[in-house]
Amino acid sequence: MPTPAPGDDPAPLANPSTDTTVERVFREEYGRVVAALVRRFGDIELAEDVAQEAFVEAVSRWPQSGPPPNPGAWLTTTAKNRAIDRLRRESTRDARHAQAAAMLGPFDDEPVDPDTVSSVPDDRLRLIFTCCHPALARDAQVALTLRLLGGLTMAEIARAFFVDEAAMSKRLTRSKQKIKAAHIPYRVPPDHELPSRLAGVLATLYLVFNEGYLPSSPDVEVRTDLSAEAIRQVRLLATLMPDEPEVLGLLALMLLTEARRPARFADGVLVTLPEQDRTLWDARLVAEGHDLVRACLRRGRPGPYQIQAAINAVHTDAGRAQDTDWGQIVALYDQLYAVTPTPVVALNRAVALAECNGPEAGLEALASVQGLDRYHAYQAARADLLRRADRVAEAVEAYRTAVELSANPAERAYLAGRLAELSAARG
């Protein structure tokens, strides 16, 4: 089987019987493997290349031998050996033996460079901080982390940024080359450098969580590994930076969102928030999220993640959908828009406004939102408001567009069901 070119996604699986296993392992282990390799070799491109080679080897071997007891360790060791072989080939003869000697032995018994010592002994968090160096543009920071930590394909990342796959591939290649050329260190930076990277780290972890909560891939309806990893990383950040309210706000937002996961799907179809069985929500996560929101409020330093967490706290405070305090939610969206005036915030505010003042008020607010015509959530919200306003023909067209734009299978199933109901009623 051919080795993938640098930056390519893993090759197609050779045996359908191993398809699910290898794809699951790839999604669960790719970030760990790459992070461990970057720590060992200090080169992101090399780490990614040999990690992909290891997965190709797994595709070739596992159908005959079966998956090993610890797939992640097998992949890391295989990739490490590939990297050592490559470096030996590329080294000069004089440096070869010294370099090979430095690379022998297990990963955890190497000398520690005092400049890279961190109070957070986590490879993946260090890789996130490396990707979120201020020398890189914010979208490049996020995209690179999604690629390296989340194991997202180039197509999935391109969809998240509304660009084509070739453009995203070039963007990521430039980012990795810039990290290498600038000798950006693989470490959690010292305290005085944290603020310059924190916003990028939080934005990245939020997108990683969202990709796990509602994946953009057409092949999977949910990725619990990504959401769990994002929550774990934010918990680490909260330990590292306990005085940063936005870190606590993001943790609260994730926990309150994650608490609803058990009620979000039924027979492969997305269940919207108003229709969810709230007895299925994780009460422990709801309680922890509410405690964090209250702690943020006491600090009096509101930021975007704290406000979003407060919105989710209002949602999860209601025992029934009809008891939701939509007036408070609209007020919070007003506050959020003042801090983060983005089209997506305006979209969510319009949906909340419709709950207070009716669907026509929501549609009027949506009409002023610019730049989201090809965003599936915009078309889905517009379709729902048109349906509630009895503008059936327009609703049908909006649902068709939403189905076309949505990649997630559970969401597509929900939207297709709404479209079928409307089409049947229309005769």
Side-chain angles (χ1 to χ4, degrees):
M1 181 172 295
T3 299
D8 283 355
D9 294 315
L13 301 173
N15 187 327
S17 67
T18 63
D19 186 88
T20 302
T21 299
V22 179
E23 287 191 1
R24 176 183 57 79
V25 171
F26 174 80
R27 292 190 179 276
E28 293 177 357
E29 300 292 342
Y30 184 79
R32 293 184 181 92
V33 173
V34 169
L37 293 166
V38 173
R39 170 166 63 86
R40 182 61 180 267
F41 299 106
D43 187 326
I44 289 177
E45 285 194 292
L46 173 64
E48 190 174 18
D49 287 350
V50 295
Q52 290 167 356
E53 290 175 14
F55 276 98
V56 171
E57 191 164 341
V59 170
S60 176
R61 288 192 181 188
W62 291 4
Q64 288 75 38
S65 63
N70 188 336
W74 186 96
L75 290 162
T76 302
T77 300
T78 301
K80 180 192 73 170
N81 292 336
R82 289 290 186 101
I84 291 172
D85 290 343
R86 182 182 296 191
L87 289 172
R88 280 174 172 158
R89 291 194 303 270
E90 295 173 355
S91 297
T92 63
R93 196 165 79 89
D94 292 339
R96 186 177 301 158
H97 294 296
Q99 187 177 43
M103 293 174 181
L104 295 176
F107 271 62
D108 295 328
D109 67 354
E110 299 173 8
V112 176
D113 180 350
D115 291 333
T116 65
V117 172
S118 166
S119 59
V120 181
D122 186 88
D123 283 338
R124 282 164 287 176
L125 184 59
R126 281 195 281 270
L127 188 53
I128 292 173
F129 271 101
T130 300
C131 295
C132 292
H133 192 280
L136 302 177
R138 177 61 54 80
D139 60 348
Q141 295 173 357
V142 175
L144 189 57
T145 308
L146 289 173
R147 173 65 176 170
L148 297 178
L149 271 296
L152 272 66
T153 67
M154 210 67 71
E156 290 169 341
I157 299 171
R159 278 197 296 269
F161 283 86
F162 302 101
V163 299
D164 64 67
E165 193 171 339
M168 180 53 64
S169 179
K170 291 178 182 177
R171 188 179 303 179
L172 293 182
T173 298
R174 287 195 300 268
S175 298
K176 287 181 282 188
Q177 290 172 344
K178 191 167 188 177
I179 287 174
K180 186 175 182 178
H183 303 291
I184 294 173
Y186 168 64
R187 60 180 171 86
V188 175
D191 290 349
H192 69 276
E193 293 182 17
L194 287 173
S196 66
R197 301 198 199 182
L198 182 60
V201 171
L202 294 180
T204 297
L205 289 172
Y206 186 35
L207 281 182
V208 170
F209 176 85
N210 286 340
E211 181 62 28
Y213 197 68
L214 193 68
S216 58
S217 169
D219 303 320
V220 59
E221 68 184 30
V222 66
R223 284 195 59 184
T224 56
D225 59 308
L226 279 186
S227 296
E229 177 62 15
I231 291 173
R232 189 182 76 85
Q233 295 291 353
V234 177
R235 287 193 186 278
L236 284 176
L237 273 180
T239 301
L240 179 68
M241 309 175 72
D243 296 325
E244 287 289 345
E246 277 292 83
V247 175
L248 298 182
L250 180 56
L251 179 56
L253 173 59
M254 288 181 175
L255 295 179
L256 292 170
T257 306
E258 180 68 16
R260 302 198 300 267
R261 185 190 294 278
R264 291 188 73 239
F265 302 99
D267 299 323
V269 179
L270 182 72
V271 180
T272 60
L273 179 59
E275 300 168 322
Q276 289 176 10
D277 180 354
R278 300 187 175 212
T279 64
L280 298 177
W281 290 356
D282 189 322
R284 179 184 60 83
L285 292 182
V286 169
E288 185 180 0
H290 282 199
D291 287 344
L292 287 168
V293 170
R294 285 190 286 268
C296 290
L297 290 174
R298 288 194 294 270
R299 295 184 183 216
R301 293 162 53 195
Y305 297 114
Q306 296 172 76
I307 299 170
Q308 290 178 75
I311 291 169
N312 277 267
V314 175
H315 278 300
T316 52
D317 198 39
R320 301 178 304 167
Q322 58 265 40
D323 297 330
T324 302
D325 188 345
W326 285 103
Q328 186 178 2
I329 289 176
V330 171
L332 286 168
Y333 272 121
D334 287 340
Q335 186 179 3
L336 181 60
Y337 192 79
V339 175
T340 312
T342 68
V344 173
V345 174
L347 162 63
N348 289 323
R349 181 189 176 278
V351 172
L353 188 66
E355 297 296 333
C356 290
N357 300 335
E360 291 291 355
L363 287 166
E364 183 179 350
L366 270 187
S368 64
V369 178
Q370 302 296 316
L372 295 183
D373 287 351
R374 302 300 296 171
Y375 180 41
H376 71 278
Y378 172 85
Q379 293 294 346
R382 183 169 172 272
D384 182 62
L385 295 180
L386 288 167
R387 176 187 62 82
R388 289 163 55 187
D390 292 326
R391 293 162 60 175
V392 177
E394 294 172 87
V396 166
E397 289 306 311
Y399 272 121
R400 284 176 179 158
T401 304
V403 171
E404 172 195 336
L405 295 175
S406 178
N408 183 270
E411 186 174 46
R412 284 176 63 90
Y414 166 76
L415 294 170
R418 285 290 199 190
L419 175 59
E421 291 171 6
L422 271 186
S423 298
R426 192 180 176 192

